[in-house]
Amino acid sequence: MTDTPTDDPFASDEALDGDPLAAARALDADDPLALYRERFVGVTPSAASQSSPTDLATRERVLAYFDGNSLGRPTIPSVERLQRFVIDGWGGRLIRGWDEEWMELPFRIGDDLGAAALGAAAGQVFIGDSTTVLLYKLARAAVDSLPQRSEIVLDTDNFPTDRYVLDGIARERGLDLVWIEADTEAGVTPEQVSAAVGPRTALVVLSHVAYRSGFLADARAITRIVHNAGALVLWDLCHSAGSVPVELDAWQVDLAVGCTYKYLNGGPGSPAFGYVNERLQRELVQPIQGWMGVRDVFLMGPEYQPADGLRRFLSGTPPIVGMLALQDTVAMIRECGIQAVRDKSVALTEFALRLAETWLTSLGVALASPRDPERRGGHLTLSHPAMREVAARLWERDVIPDYRDPGGLRIGLSPLSTSFQEVAVGLAAVRDVLGELIHE
């Protein structure tokens, strides 16, 4: 173990064994983001709060929520925003809303998201369809722009949607898939990408943060390698956006997609975002040609004439209601800064790791994520053959982790809504349930 500052309440494993809950409370008291937690539905107010809890803040009785990387909690401002929209926006303005605001909302929210969390200048991020549909549109446009090249590079441990979509595109366009064998407890390295790309490579598609292990890829280095091979890169940011700093412009990324219902708290099925670097917008032709992507939407002309800029990547009518809630989390991130979010994320996962090492190692639990926080995103995975049953029993006790084969209990800690005390309570429940199963 490395040396730790003397003011660290977890400076020794004895502190964990003694009173980890008290130490968690001390961390919460020193957390500069602690008060953001109270902006979420269903949480317990912190001891540092001077405000009175609202009904929304105390309605739910989940003891520990470890699945913010699958579905984030709703924010209290979003509840109010949705209510206002139904009454004033939809109910009050009716179809006038399209002219007054809704037509540009996918781009306005996209610009805000790009500035707050993606390192993207205005005019390059839009809110659109599901992640699957956006992934298809951007990947298909990318390979079609390089017709002389015949390969798509991807990895064996990428999220199923990514693999399925790319397999379909390869069959559609007569392309070959080049597979990188990814370590399921780590992820894809620059060296592996360098060995996989070549003069036939059209597109490389990878996840910035691996969905299973939480491995944080070196996006800058990998993007440079792909460009040196003359290919385009598309990054999946589903487990990155709102959790780790992303610098799409500085990394010179070509394309990216990501969902908004994880760390951005957009709600179940909220629409995904797409990023298209400005230098590619006039060059790429997206394959799903709908009326919202044309130069003059209301001309209703006989032929498809794509818009010059980012609008050409829209297809059908934007899901306005679905994109409303994420604005409030984007505003929080802009307020506190994505680096502060990342700092809290690292602190939470490091705390969870130390609890796991103290409480779970003797029960046979292994870490299935990178130990180095510089190579880990906002979640970690704890491995044991009994974890599927552990997850099921924890849900019955109002402790909500996620399960991923093989034998992985995924601990997703959303920095703005998760407290250290919540982590301690949840990991103690994992210890107790796993111990019960082992001794049955």
Side-chain angles (χ1 to χ4, degrees):
M1 295 179 62
T2 58
D3 293 334
T4 53
T6 55
D7 61 352
D8 179 0
F10 289 93
S12 69
D13 287 341
E14 288 76 14
L16 290 177
D17 292 332
D19 191 351
L21 196 57
R25 292 192 187 104
L27 288 172
D28 283 329
D30 290 337
D31 174 18
L33 302 187
L35 292 180
Y36 284 96
R37 173 174 162 81
E38 294 170 35
R39 299 188 190 182
F40 290 86
V41 175
V43 302
T44 303
S46 68
S49 173
Q50 300 300 312
S51 61
S52 300
T54 68
D55 289 341
L56 287 173
T58 58
R59 184 172 298 167
E60 191 62 48
R61 289 184 173 83
V62 170
L63 298 177
Y65 189 52
F66 286 169
D67 216 0
N69 63 321
S70 285
L71 178 65
R73 290 182 181 272
T75 68
I76 293 172
S78 289
V79 174
E80 298 163 352
R81 179 189 294 276
L82 289 166
Q83 290 174 335
R84 287 196 308 272
F85 176 81
V86 171
I87 296 170
D88 299 329
W90 178 9
R93 303 310 298 160
L94 294 169
I95 200 169
R96 292 174 293 185
W98 286 110
D99 288 335
E100 295 168 352
E101 181 182 20
W102 304 341
M103 287 292 288
E104 297 304 315
L105 201 59
F107 309 108
R108 181 174 66 75
I109 298 176
D111 284 348
D112 290 344
L113 174 59
L118 304 180
Q124 299 178 105
V125 179
F126 66 100
I127 311 299
D129 312 280
S130 70
T131 306
T132 302
V133 173
L134 287 186
L135 185 70
Y136 173 81
K137 291 203 287 192
L138 298 189
R140 170 70 184 274
V143 298
D144 285 353
S145 74
L146 295 169
Q148 73 279 15
R149 292 172 173 250
S150 58
E151 294 179 348
I152 301 173
V153 175
L154 66 164
D155 70 284
T156 55
D157 197 46
N158 211 335
F159 192 73
T161 273
D162 302 60
R163 293 183 276 111
Y164 301 161
V165 165
L166 295 174
D167 175 68
I169 291 174
R171 285 186 282 108
E172 276 183 350
R173 310 306 287 166
L175 305 175
D176 297 319
L177 297 178
V178 176
W179 293 93
I180 295 173
E181 292 291 332
D183 183 344
T184 59
E185 296 185 5
V188 178
T189 66
E191 293 76 17
Q192 288 177 302
V193 175
S194 184
V197 298
R200 297 178 60 197
T201 307
L203 178 66
V204 176
V205 180
L206 300 169
S207 285
H208 186 216
V209 173
Y211 84 98
R212 196 192 312 266
S213 69
F215 177 84
L216 178 62
D218 189 342
R220 182 191 297 273
I222 289 174
T223 298
R224 186 185 310 117
I225 290 166
V226 173
H227 287 171
N228 288 342
L232 298 176
V233 66
L234 193 166
W235 284 102
D236 182 331
L237 304 180
C238 285
H239 284 89
S240 306
S243 174
V244 301
V246 175
E247 294 292 341
L248 294 177
D249 288 353
W251 299 339
Q252 299 183 25
V253 166
D254 304 303
L255 304 162
V257 298
C259 58
T260 63
Y261 44 77
K262 301 183 190 299
Y263 298 108
L264 297 175
N265 309 298
S270 59
F273 65 86
Y275 167 88
V276 183
N277 193 294
E278 186 178 21
R279 70 178 183 275
L280 294 173
Q281 289 179 16
R282 288 177 176 267
E283 175 184 338
L284 297 185
V285 179
Q286 70 105 336
I288 304 178
Q289 299 181 353
W291 76 302
M292 276 285 169
V294 300
R295 194 168 298 158
D296 186 341
V297 173
F298 293 105
L299 180 62
M300 308 292 183
E303 296 179 352
Y304 176 79
Q305 296 290 333
D308 290 332
L310 199 60
R311 178 171 290 280
R312 68 168 52 195
F313 297 96
L314 295 188
S315 297
T317 305
I320 299 301
V321 178
M323 68 179 71
L324 294 176
L326 72 102
Q327 295 176 88
D328 297 297
T329 297
V330 169
M332 287 187 218
I333 295 171
R334 292 198 73 165
E335 184 179 305
C336 67
I338 188 63
Q339 187 57 54
V341 173
R342 172 61 173 166
D343 292 343
K344 169 85 178 282
S345 176
V346 170
L348 286 168
T349 55
E350 284 292 284
F351 176 42
L353 268 179
R354 296 186 67 179
L355 286 172
E357 289 169 348
T358 300
W359 287 342
L360 304 178
T361 301
S362 62
L363 299 176
V365 173
L367 177 64
S369 297
R371 184 62 184 84
D372 180 2
E374 294 298 314
R375 291 270 60 89
R376 188 178 66 239
H379 69 274
L380 54 90
T381 299
L382 304 175
S383 179
H384 188 281
M387 284 307 190
R388 183 187 292 275
E389 180 61 24
V390 168
R393 294 193 184 189
L394 287 171
W395 278 34
E396 295 175 354
R397 303 185 186 194
D398 287 333
V399 173
I400 316 294
D402 202 359
Y403 175 80
R404 288 290 182 267
D405 279 326
L409 193 75
R410 204 169 60 164
I411 309 297
L413 305 174
S414 188
L416 293 175
S417 61
T418 305
S419 68
F420 291 91
Q421 184 173 337
E422 189 175 5
V423 174
V425 169
L427 265 295
V430 174
R431 175 198 61 196
D432 295 345
V433 168
L434 180 57
E436 293 168 7
L437 280 169
I438 289 172
H439 294 101
E440 281 182 356

